[in-house]
Amino acid sequence: MLRLFHFNKLSILPSKASNFLPQTPISISKTIYNRSQMGSFSTSSSSKLLFRQLFEKESSTYTYLLADSSHPHKPALLIDPVDKTVDRDLSLIKELGLKLVYAMNTHVHADHVTGTGLIKSKVSDVKSVISKASSAKADLYVEQGDKIWFGDLFLEVRATPGHTLGCITYVTGDASDQPQPRLAFTGDALLIRGCGRTDFQGGSSEQLYKSVHSQIFTLPEDTLLYPAHDYKGFSVSTVGEELQYNPRLTKDEETFKNIMANLNLSYPKMIDVAVPANLVCGIQSKES
């Protein structure tokens, strides 16, 4: 059963506020996060999505800004913010006249520290979001089937574990008044012409293969794919392209598992710093 949380104002906690203490993680199963959005990048006549793809060059990380520009409050969210580029991102949000309501992660990153904590220290009422399966701290926990509303637009949560246990993909809504073509923010589960490694943080090549094929490759072929990283200069792909040209995930499952078992990748240089920090999702409380 879906639980509906109402935000009377963008800066107000959901109703029954006694159940939502500051800095206390909220586990929300099958939840619709109520409407408060922003926009500017119009993908159809019925929706006005403001969309920006931002890049942090040291870790080759993409951060995504989405907002509903047609909504009077212009609510916005950030996907996979990086600590080193928080000031840049917040400056852009201010320039565009947006109200940041969510700072979201696709998974517990091993190659950079999330900017969520810094954002929460600089902007009041922002809620951090991560998957329930990640075992990380956040204000809001999401899982398969949840919807996150920002204004009159929403993101659908799809569980795509395999790179890590807690990987999720955020997909724009499947409805006539939502952006078309759809956009999918795949984290490290699916990269352009590649995928995330599966040899640490509970990774599983078998699970990743099933996740991508069941949760991403089943989307319409014109769905735009935006990964968390790119190391070759690509910025966007489509489901159709990856179904045809991805050199790993176009193979059968056994061949894919063999490929992943023989990548011989080096130990991630930031993992011993990034993972402990990201397990608290950037929220630096007195207890931590």
Side-chain angles (χ1 to χ4, degrees):
M1 177 181 293
L2 290 173
R3 289 190 291 155
L4 180 61
F5 288 78
H6 296 276
F7 291 84
N8 297 320
K9 295 182 181 179
L10 294 181
S11 60
I12 299 296
L13 285 171
S15 59
K16 299 183 180 179
S18 62
N19 295 326
F20 298 87
L21 301 176
Q23 299 295 331
T24 299
I26 306 168
S27 180
I28 299 176
S29 175
K30 300 296 179 289
T31 299
I32 299 178
Y33 300 102
N34 195 31
R35 311 192 173 197
S36 47
Q37 300 172 280
M38 323 160 74
S40 197
F41 168 67
S42 183
T43 53
S44 75
S45 60
S46 61
S47 65
K48 292 183 173 65
L49 174 68
L50 184 151
F51 173 76
R52 297 289 185 272
Q53 182 181 46
L54 308 168
F55 190 66
E56 194 283 306
K57 61 183 180 180
E58 186 172 336
S59 61
S60 298
T61 298
Y62 285 123
T63 295
Y64 298 100
L65 170 65
L66 286 73
D68 179 1
S69 61
S70 65
H71 191 278
H73 295 294
K74 299 188 182 237
L77 57 85
L78 284 170
I79 298 174
D80 289 334
V82 180
D83 60 345
K84 294 181 179 179
T85 48
V86 161
D87 288 341
R88 176 203 64 187
D89 299 347
L90 295 181
S91 177
L92 176 61
I93 288 168
K94 182 178 180 180
E95 289 172 354
L96 296 175
L98 309 177
K99 168 66 176 180
L100 185 64
V101 291
Y102 296 121
M104 306 161 59
N105 284 289
T106 55
H107 64 292
V108 174
H109 305 278
D111 45 16
H112 69 272
V113 175
T114 178
T116 304
L118 282 174
I119 290 170
K120 285 175 63 66
S121 72
K122 293 172 180 283
V123 182
S124 63
D125 302 319
V126 172
K127 301 299 177 201
S128 57
V129 181
I130 202 165
S131 72
K132 184 178 181 180
S134 70
S135 299
K137 291 184 179 179
D139 296 316
L140 301 174
Y141 293 143
V142 295
E143 56 186 4
Q144 175 78 20
D146 287 351
K147 293 179 180 179
I148 302 171
W149 287 92
F150 56 111
D152 296 317
L153 307 176
F154 69 88
L155 292 178
E156 168 193 316
V157 176
R158 294 193 170 207
T160 49
H163 170 62
T164 73
L165 287 172
C167 286
I168 52 177
T169 291
Y170 299 109
V171 187
T172 54
D174 184 15
S176 59
D177 62 345
Q178 299 299 302
Q180 295 296 330
R182 299 178 75 182
L183 288 68
F185 302 92
T186 59
D188 285 20
L190 178 63
L191 305 177
I192 298 172
R193 308 298 192 267
C195 63
R197 61 194 295 173
T198 58
D199 57 338
F200 61 90
Q201 287 182 270
S204 163
S205 57
E206 178 180 359
Q207 194 172 43
L208 180 60
Y209 189 89
K210 287 179 168 59
S211 292
V212 172
H213 280 264
S214 66
Q215 298 299 322
I216 299 176
F217 282 172
T218 53
L219 290 164
E221 290 195 9
D222 65 349
T223 301
L224 299 171
L225 300 179
Y226 291 98
H229 301 282
D230 185 79
Y231 309 100
K232 299 178 181 179
F234 295 111
S235 59
V236 63
S237 185
T238 67
V239 167
E241 282 185 37
E242 296 307 312
L243 278 168
Q244 187 171 359
Y245 299 118
N246 192 293
R248 298 178 185 175
L249 288 156
T250 52
K251 304 295 191 294
D252 63 81
E253 184 176 338
E254 288 306 312
T255 302
F256 174 78
K257 286 159 55 176
N258 186 60
I259 290 171
M260 299 305 290
N262 291 281
L263 291 178
N264 298 316
L265 298 172
S266 59
Y267 188 73
K269 65 179 181 179
M270 279 288 292
I271 188 170
D272 293 327
V273 174
V275 169
N278 293 333
L279 282 172
V280 295
C281 210
I283 301 171
Q284 304 302 321
S285 66
K286 292 180 180 179
E287 290 79 14
S288 60

